[in-house]
Amino acid sequence: MSAGDARGAPREIGTLLRIMARLRDPQGGCPWDLAQDFSSIAPYTVEEAYEVADAIDRGDLDDLRDELGDLLLQVVFHAQMAQEQGAFDFGDVVASISGKMLRRHPHVFGDAHAADAGAVVADWERIKQQERADAGDTDPSALAGIARGLPEWQRALKLQKRAARTGFDWPDAAPVLDKLREEADEVQAEFAAAAAGGEARLEEEIGDLLFVCANLARHAEVDVGSALRRANLKFERRFRAMEALAAARGQSLPALDLVQQEALWQAVKRDEQDSP
């Protein structure tokens, strides 16, 4: 039986749980692990999720295996700390998600029928709303239940999608582009106000601009995280190429003025465009 066989997973999970318990053992455990709490570990959990996404984006399945392991460790770490407090343990976490999957897939595990993926999503949201109501959540808003701990760009998308289900949405990307230009003009006006000594509201206006950018991506069916990740990678690739080109010419990039640096940037772009 291979380690990847689902039937062998309980043995491997058991090993990981024992390792985590040992690391958190006050008698001889790891001082760093013992010093952690939910709040201090949370940033690592988010970081590992992004590293999983990065491995997927690069198509590196070996790295994906390792990154998924790192993410699983985060779940085990949180569960171990909760167990120490008598709140819940890893088994409770597994039981919770298993029950949720059974409830939210009645077309697979029950007698319901879902014609397509859209119907599955609609049923999923309906079941979620019923679960919140059963738990005593009395918030009637279409925006109820959207976590505040999400990265803000992701929360913006969720807010927009929920609002769109009520009909509060632009019909296509054209008016979103108009709105984007309007928000850019407002940002420019705030910069001018600041330069003139007036009180600026730049943060608010730039926030509005970013919110509309997320909306534009949603209408274009472009994943914001993926698009920004690719933009970051492109910038990093080109900047490193600028540094290499400057060094090949016996120059130091910081010693060049902006005009000279821009010339290097354009040279790198041309090289990319000319490459097969």
Side-chain angles (χ1 to χ4, degrees), residues 210-239:
L210 293 172
F211 191 84
V212 177
C213 284
N215 212 342
L216 180 63
R218 181 175 63 87
H219 276 273
E221 298 183 352
V222 168
D223 180 84
V224 176
S226 177
L228 188 55
R229 188 161 53 248
R230 289 177 183 275
N232 288 339
L233 289 170
K234 179 168 62 176
F235 177 84
E236 181 180 8
R237 181 182 69 246
R238 290 179 177 176
F239 188 85

Side-chain angles (χ1 to χ4, degrees), residues 68-92:
L68 285 171
D70 292 344
L71 184 58
L72 176 59
L73 176 63
Q74 298 300 306
V75 177
V76 169
F77 206 140
H78 285 289
Q80 174 64 32
M81 291 186 291
Q83 182 177 348
E84 292 165 5
Q85 297 180 17
F88 59 82
D89 62 16
F90 184 79
D92 296 321

Side-chain angles (χ1 to χ4, degrees), residues 179-190 209:
K179 185 65 175 175
L180 188 65
R181 298 184 188 97
E182 176 188 326
E183 295 295 347
D185 289 342
E186 291 181 4
V187 168
Q188 186 174 8
E190 292 301 338
L209 182 65

Side-chain angles (χ1 to χ4, degrees), residues 97-111:
I97 189 59
S98 296
K100 183 182 295 184
M101 290 300 98
L102 291 171
R103 290 193 308 274
R104 295 187 184 179
H105 292 84
H107 54 289
V108 176
F109 303 108
D111 298 328

